[in-house]
Amino acid sequence: MSFLYPSFLFGLLAVSVPVAIHLFNFRRTRRVFFTNVALLKTVQTETKSFRRLKHYLILLFRSLFIICLVLAFAQPFIPSKSRLGLSRTGLTSLYLDNSYSMQNELNEKRYLDIATSKLDQLLGLFRNATSLQLVTNDFSSQEQTVGTADALRDRVTTIRFAHTPRTLADVYRRQLNLLATNNPSGPNQLFWFSDFQKSTVGDLSRLKIDTTNRLFLVPLETQPTKNVFVDSVWLSTPFIRELQNNTLNVRVRNSGEESVRNLPIKLFIDQTQVSTASVTLPGKGAATASLNFNVTQKGFRRGRITFEDYPITFDNEYHFVIQASPSIRVLHLYDQKTEANYVENVYGNDSLFVRQSFSAQNVDVGQFKTADLVVLEGLNQVGGTLRSELERFVRQGGSLVVIPPTTPNATAWSSFLASLGAGGLQTQTPPLPPSQPLSAPNRQNPFFRDIFERTNQQGIENLPNAVPVWQWRVVGERLLTLRNGTPFLTQSRAGGSAGGQVYIFASPLNTEYGNIAQHALFVPIMYKIAALSVRPQRTAYSFDENTIDITVSDASPNAVYKLKRDKLEIIPVQRVNGTQLIMELPKSNQLNDGQQLASGYYELQLNGKTEKLLAFNHGNRESQMDFYKPDELRRIFTGQPNVQIFDSIQDDDFVDELRQQNLGTNLWKYFVIAALVFLLAEVVVIRLMRG
């Protein structure tokens, strides 16, 4: 048995007071003389023995009363089984994991509700403490102060799920900041109530707990369960036109062990369901659903993927935005331009295109920043600033069409095309070879998929002919070739996977070099090149991203963009680099009280005008149903004796288990009861034993 306040044991000296009173009670007795005292001697002898017994009992009960009372003030207890124990005088910091993975259920109770119940019971052990802290994933300002158990109980009832998962290293640093301010020397104790999800807690092997602090891990009892979430969404074609069939591909994944059969996937466009598909997912497996749709209006359209998956529901929706029929910006540069103005006519007769034509000698290279497609027609050579800006344009994802001049400069063009991946250029010297017909294009090539009508016709009559002025080594795709196998139109990607497409024609558009520009193939080919030049749309963003890049037009370096959703307005940390707006997404602790980043659609505004519509979703890290077990946690924290891991504890016996293992068994209540019993016994002796 140990004592919490052993200094009170000096109070045992008070036992000497009743002993002294008993030993030094020198009261004198009066003598009474009688004629016959034989009978009185017998009575007096019996009374004296009875009185002596009464005095001894009173002395015993008084002494025991004082002893029990003193021991009660010293608060005796049986030491706990754990070597750590709990400090009744230090600071106690409690972390409650309120991430979305705590929506999981055990016996029809959510993990968050179970953890909240355990936390409330734990506060009962510290009901008289005044140095308590409650930390959640919100990292709000009110979590920086200490309070009483009653104050924390009021806060516990208001805890909701937070969209920002925190690593346990971040949580520990958060708690250490408070400990350093209020009780830096310890001893302090930390409690972590969590499901210990492997995808969010971070690298626990690198987490070292200060020896002046004691850490208690309370893992929730996790069970393998299914959970389906959207892994990725992409369009089959980056260019969406209204009233045309389009395909959206949705890859869904099951992070649980249990398989899912025939799960309906629904596609909504502007709150209207437009398509549905079903998928079957094995445990730890994935599947892709293709959903066909069309849009009836231009502009930004709000898309949403939904399905029913229980009990984890926070990731049952995925928001995205598509832009229907965006304007394709075409920049036409020329030195030798045909009299018929074929390029200008192709891109000038459709409102879908925004075309600008300039002489290559007078072009402002700043126009490249807003262009999707650049067409070079009849340039004798490409050099200087024009060449460097064109190379940068292609590396950053822009598309380039090269139509050669009648007499190309072999040296200048060879170097430029080699930088774009088309090496081995050879120019034809006069006299040029005779005109040759083109071979029929391969209809199975994705480039021609929607150019030809689906008929049983196997060939194309009246194919165009051409006189090539140069040849090159083909790295990419041969779209059109001459009958002798010489390439006429090729498509290749320059600058790696992030680079743009380069299309090279073998001959000019002049009639003396062939009739490709007058043929029915020319317009759909040029349209398809322009359509493929549209940069792939970023349909959605994740709150887990630290920064996002958004392409904007006509932005000044001092422009201030806002993100607006309903009544929420946020001005993120941002900077403008050319046509790129780089924004840092705020975290939960950087928002004002009452603000919350919810998944959905946000307007990107500049000076009160909506520039773009953006979709944001929560990251899928919390969708991974894989958790640390108590035995795994023990192996990780081996060598740190100040860390204790509980097994899965049921709600009813959590406090008792914690008290026995760490607080020991308190005995002061029993000594108070014993003191009262001895005091009552003394009263009974005095009242009933008269003699």
Side-chain angles (χ1 to χ4, degrees):
M1 185 173 66
S2 302
F3 297 92
L4 184 61
Y5 304 108
S7 58
F8 278 98
L9 295 179
F10 288 105
L12 293 176
L13 297 176
V15 178
S16 60
V17 175
V19 173
I21 294 174
H22 177 79
L23 294 178
F24 300 102
N25 185 7
F26 298 115
R27 290 182 302 166
R28 294 185 178 181
T29 57
R30 287 189 306 170
R31 294 184 179 182
V32 180
F33 295 96
F34 293 90
T35 56
N36 189 353
V37 296
L39 180 61
L40 292 176
K41 283 183 179 181
T42 303
V43 173
Q44 190 175 27
T45 301
E46 293 177 358
T47 302
K48 185 175 181 180
S49 299
F50 185 80
R51 185 180 294 115
R52 184 181 294 112
L53 175 61
K54 176 182 177 181
H55 287 175
Y56 281 137
L57 290 175
I58 293 174
L59 174 62
L60 175 63
F61 291 145
R62 284 179 178 176
S63 300
L64 291 176
F65 166 75
I66 294 175
I67 291 172
C68 291
L69 190 62
V70 170
L71 292 177
F73 276 99
Q75 293 197 22
F77 64 93
I78 299 175
S80 65
K81 302 175 183 177
S82 172
R83 293 176 298 173
L84 300 177
L86 287 178
S87 171
R88 294 174 172 83
T89 58
L91 188 146
T92 301
S93 181
L94 309 166
Y95 165 63
L96 176 60
D97 182 3
N98 61 333
S99 61
Y100 279 119
S101 64
M102 297 286 282
Q103 286 183 347
N104 209 343
E105 292 187 355
L106 174 65
N107 299 329
E108 298 183 353
K109 292 186 66 177
R110 297 184 306 180
Y111 285 0
L112 181 62
D113 297 332
I114 296 174
T116 301
S117 175
K118 292 182 179 181
L119 180 59
D120 183 75
Q121 295 176 26
L122 179 62
L123 291 175
L125 298 180
F126 297 95
R127 56 183 174 275
N128 296 324
T130 58
S131 298
L132 299 174
Q133 177 201 27
L134 178 61
V135 177
T136 65
N137 290 344
D138 297 321
F139 279 16
S140 61
S141 57
Q142 60 181 332
E143 296 177 359
Q144 293 288 348
T145 59
V146 296
T148 62
D150 291 337
L152 263 61
R153 274 199 174 96
D154 294 338
R155 278 198 53 213
V156 166
T157 60
T158 64
I159 292 177
R160 299 294 181 265
F161 291 104
H163 78 275
T164 304
R166 307 287 184 179
T167 66
L168 292 180
D170 292 337
V171 172
Y172 183 54
R173 281 192 295 269
R174 183 85 169 178
Q175 293 176 311
L176 284 184
N177 290 336
L178 182 72
L179 299 180
T181 303
N182 294 270
N183 191 22
S185 59
N188 306 298
Q189 53 257 341
L190 315 175
F191 286 86
W192 291 350
F193 292 86
S194 173
D195 57 5
F196 293 94
Q197 189 177 25
K198 292 183 178 180
S199 58
T200 61
V201 297
D203 188 358
L204 298 183
S205 62
R206 303 179 61 181
L207 188 58
K208 304 300 179 184
I209 307 301
D210 193 293
T211 55
T212 60
N213 302 316
R214 288 170 297 278
L215 174 62
F216 300 90
L217 308 185
V218 187
L220 276 297
E221 185 176 353
T222 57
Q223 295 179 346
T225 183
K226 63 181 177 64
N227 182 47
V228 179
F229 63 93
V230 175
D231 182 72
S232 55
V233 170
W234 71 95
L235 296 164
S236 294
T237 58
F239 185 73
I240 302 297
R241 295 202 68 172
E242 71 275 17
L243 302 178
Q244 289 187 357
N245 290 330
N246 305 281
T247 302
L248 182 78
N249 302 292
V250 181
R251 185 168 181 80
V252 291
R253 187 175 297 277
N254 179 14
S255 64
E257 301 288 347
E258 183 181 346
S259 63
V260 179
R261 298 184 59 84
N262 300 324
L263 177 69
I265 307 292
K266 299 178 182 179
L267 170 62
F268 288 80
I269 301 292
D270 293 334
Q271 304 302 320
T272 301
Q273 182 178 339
V274 297
S275 185
T276 184
S278 62
V279 294
T280 296
L281 299 142
K284 302 293 184 180
T288 300
S290 296
L291 301 163
N292 297 321
F293 71 98
N294 60 64
V295 294
T296 58
Q297 295 179 341
K298 294 183 179 181
F300 292 104
R301 307 265 66 89
R302 301 170 186 245
R304 180 164 53 95
I305 300 294
T306 65
F307 49 84
E308 296 294 332
D309 178 44
Y310 188 80
I312 306 298
T313 60
F314 79 92
D315 51 7
N316 287 2
E317 286 191 342
Y318 186 90
H319 301 84
F320 64 94
V321 172
I322 55 176
Q323 186 178 8
S325 296
S327 297
I328 303 176
R329 295 160 295 183
V330 179
L331 185 61
H332 176 214
L333 306 181
Y334 58 86
D335 272 346
Q336 301 174 5
K337 184 169 60 169
T338 60
E339 294 181 0
N341 295 330
Y342 296 114
V343 174
E344 294 181 12
N345 291 335
V346 166
Y347 295 128
N349 295 327
D350 195 324
S351 61
L352 180 65
F353 305 107
V354 178
R355 177 195 52 78
Q356 292 179 299
S357 295
F358 299 96
S359 170
Q361 309 303 321
N362 301 319
V363 65
D364 177 10
V365 294
Q367 298 282 347
F368 294 159
K369 295 180 179 179
T370 58
D372 296 307
L373 174 65
V374 174
V375 180
L376 303 181
E377 182 184 7
L379 271 66
N380 291 320
Q381 61 181 4
V382 179
T385 303
L386 178 60
R387 171 177 172 173
S388 61
E389 291 299 322
L390 282 172
E391 291 174 348
R392 178 183 301 175
F393 169 75
V394 175
R395 285 196 304 269
Q396 293 178 351
S399 294
L400 177 67
V401 174
V402 179
I403 302 173
T406 56
T407 55
N409 184 320
T411 304
W413 276 105
S414 177
S415 175
F416 175 64
L417 293 180
S419 67
L420 300 178
L425 181 69
Q426 296 179 359
T427 58
Q428 299 285 355
T429 58
L432 296 175
S435 177
Q436 301 181 47
L438 271 66
S439 298
N442 180 11
R443 293 190 178 196
Q444 303 303 318
N445 190 315
F447 182 88
F448 296 103
R449 181 176 300 160
D450 50 1
I451 289 181
F452 300 109
E453 293 182 355
R454 295 183 177 179
T455 66
N456 294 326
Q457 183 181 0
Q458 297 298 322
I460 300 176
E461 297 181 355
N462 301 322
L463 286 167
N465 54 66
V467 179
V469 299
W470 59 17
Q471 296 181 18
W472 62 98
R473 184 175 62 251
V474 180
V475 177
E477 192 87 23
R478 294 180 183 228
L479 300 180
L480 295 174
T481 61
L482 300 175
R483 288 280 177 87
N484 62 3
T486 303
F488 178 78
L489 173 61
T490 62
Q491 174 190 24
S492 60
R493 183 175 295 278
S497 59
Q501 299 286 348
V502 178
Y503 302 88
I504 304 176
F505 282 85
S507 64
L509 301 181
N510 307 61
T511 55
E512 59 266 30
Y513 291 90
N515 63 345
I516 182 67
Q518 295 87 29
H519 197 273
L521 275 176
F522 182 68
V523 172
I525 285 176
M526 297 302 287
Y527 270 36
K528 188 59 177 288
I529 290 175
L532 295 178
S533 70
V534 177
R535 316 285 174 93
Q537 299 183 29
R538 179 75 185 271
T539 57
Y541 299 87
S542 170
F543 287 122
D544 287 353
E545 299 179 62
N546 293 325
T547 60
I548 61 174
D549 294 349
I550 303 171
T551 302
V552 293
S553 59
D554 302 327
S556 65
N558 298 324
V560 179
Y561 288 85
K562 296 181 181 179
L563 288 177
K564 185 177 186 301
R565 183 176 188 268
D566 298 330
K567 297 182 180 180
L568 176 65
E569 283 192 4
I570 303 171
I571 302 179
V573 177
Q574 57 190 270
R575 70 179 185 275
V576 177
N577 183 13
T579 60
Q580 293 299 114
L581 170 64
I582 303 173
M583 304 179 65
E584 296 182 13
L585 295 180
K587 302 301 181 183
S588 295
N589 57 317
Q590 296 173 330
L591 300 175
N592 297 328
D593 291 339
Q595 291 184 332
Q596 183 179 6
L597 289 177
S599 60
Y601 310 101
Y602 289 76
E603 297 177 2
L604 181 68
Q605 294 187 343
L606 177 63
N607 300 325
K609 179 183 177 182
T610 300
E611 299 289 327
K612 285 182 178 293
L613 184 65
L614 308 176
F616 286 90
N617 297 283
H618 299 293
N620 55 25
R621 288 191 299 157
E622 290 192 76
S623 300
Q624 308 291 334
M625 296 292 103
D626 197 6
F627 309 92
Y628 282 111
K629 302 296 183 182
D631 290 340
E632 294 179 287
L633 293 173
R634 289 189 181 93
R635 287 194 296 268
I636 292 173
F637 288 98
T638 300
Q640 298 191 60
N642 56 326
V643 178
Q644 180 179 348
I645 296 94
F646 287 95
D647 288 314
S648 298
I649 302 171
Q650 299 300 323
D651 289 345
D652 296 337
D653 59 4
F654 169 67
V655 174
D656 293 337
E657 185 73 18
L658 182 66
R659 180 187 293 112
Q660 293 177 8
Q661 293 188 18
N662 299 280
L663 289 176
T665 303
N666 290 319
L667 303 177
W668 64 271
K669 294 181 180 179
Y670 302 105
F671 283 97
V672 169
I673 295 174
L676 295 176
V677 169
F678 291 133
L679 182 61
L680 179 62
E682 179 187 353
V683 172
V684 170
V685 169
I686 294 175
R687 290 291 183 90
L688 300 181
M689 295 184 65
R690 299 178 179 275

